[in-house]
Amino acid sequence: PPPPPRLFALFPQISVREIICKMKPETGTVAYIDGANLHKGVESSEWKLDYRKFRSWIRQKFSVGDAHLFIGLMPKHANLYTSLQDAGYKLVFKEVVYDGEGKAKGNCDADLVLQAAKDHYESGADSVVLVSSDGDYSSLVKFWLDKGVRCTIVSPAPIRKCSILLKKTGVPIVYLEDVKHKLWYRPK
């Protein structure tokens, strides 16, 4: 039988470089961002985060390649999702459910933990940033430490509101309140 056609013969418009770039994930530190915790933590401190500046800041400060932002999926926020993707976030959606009072609930904690564990076993990132102030993630932080993964926490909440469980892990914690002058959203 004749040899199978070469990939580039079938798709001459695609270069080798494009295929390789699409296959490889970004290198560097991986960020796992609890979107609701980030939004609520900053909002409770009475300032508004510029998500584009934040993405740039975590890229520069921590060498973050992939930034996974876990967020509830609500059709009315389609423009927000597009804007976040354009800023460089990889969005991971959680279906939103509504309580008896009509309040949206899209808790992403379990999805974030599962994705982080999956990524560790499949790609073995050696450095991570967790963006949350929620103590429910302390077990994930301990998992990373047990596996020799360097971990930094970025707390959207101020020091007095960041979970003691995260503080007890001993990993470095950066408080957004301390760098809000760099990340504050200013309307144009």
Side-chain angles (χ1 to χ4, degrees):
R6 294 185 47 103
L7 181 63
F8 303 108
L10 294 174
F11 302 101
Q13 71 277 15
I14 298 175
S15 71
V16 174
R17 185 179 185 314
E18 286 177 310
I19 291 172
I20 292 171
C21 288
K22 288 179 182 172
M23 288 171 44
K24 293 193 316 191
E26 287 195 45
T27 57
T29 301
V30 178
Y32 297 93
I33 305 166
D34 180 331
N37 192 275
L38 175 58
H39 175 73
K40 289 176 185 172
V42 168
E43 186 178 63
S44 73
S45 296
E46 300 179 354
W47 62 284
K48 190 171 179 181
L49 179 69
D50 184 318
Y51 282 82
R52 189 170 295 277
K53 288 179 186 175
F54 179 68
R55 179 63 180 99
S56 178
W57 178 76
I58 61 173
R59 181 181 292 116
Q60 292 171 3
K61 178 138 180 91
F62 304 107
S63 300
V64 167
D66 290 338
H68 302 282
L69 178 62
F70 293 78
I71 190 168
L73 179 60
M74 299 173 72
K76 68 180 183 179
H77 295 307
N79 289 340
L80 169 66
Y81 305 144
T82 300
S83 171
L84 291 169
Q85 288 174 321
D86 289 346
Y89 296 95
K90 293 185 176 187
L91 302 183
V92 183
F93 293 105
K94 173 74 175 190
E95 182 180 358
V96 172
V97 294
Y98 296 89
D99 66 15
E101 298 170 12
K103 185 177 177 185
K105 185 75 175 152
N107 193 336
C108 296
D109 296 13
D111 298 274
L112 189 153
V113 170
L114 183 60
Q115 184 68 51
K118 180 178 179 256
D119 289 352
H120 173 75
Y121 286 111
E122 290 180 0
S123 62
D126 63 352
S127 180
V128 296
V129 171
L130 172 66
V131 181
S132 181
S133 306
D134 188 342
D136 289 347
Y137 295 117
S138 64
S139 295
L140 176 60
V141 172
K142 290 174 188 172
F143 167 80
W144 282 324
L145 293 174
D146 289 346
K147 299 298 181 187
V149 177
R150 288 187 316 270
C151 180
T152 301
I153 296 169
V154 173
S155 174
I159 192 168
R160 69 188 180 284
K161 292 185 179 178
C162 181
S163 171
I164 188 68
L165 297 173
L166 290 178
K167 293 173 185 174
K168 287 171 73 174
T169 64
V171 302
I173 301 177
V174 176
Y175 296 93
L176 284 183
E177 189 170 65
D178 296 338
V179 292
K180 73 180 180 183
H181 62 281
K182 296 178 183 180
L183 305 174
W184 197 307
Y185 175 76
R186 292 171 186 90
K188 294 177 182 172

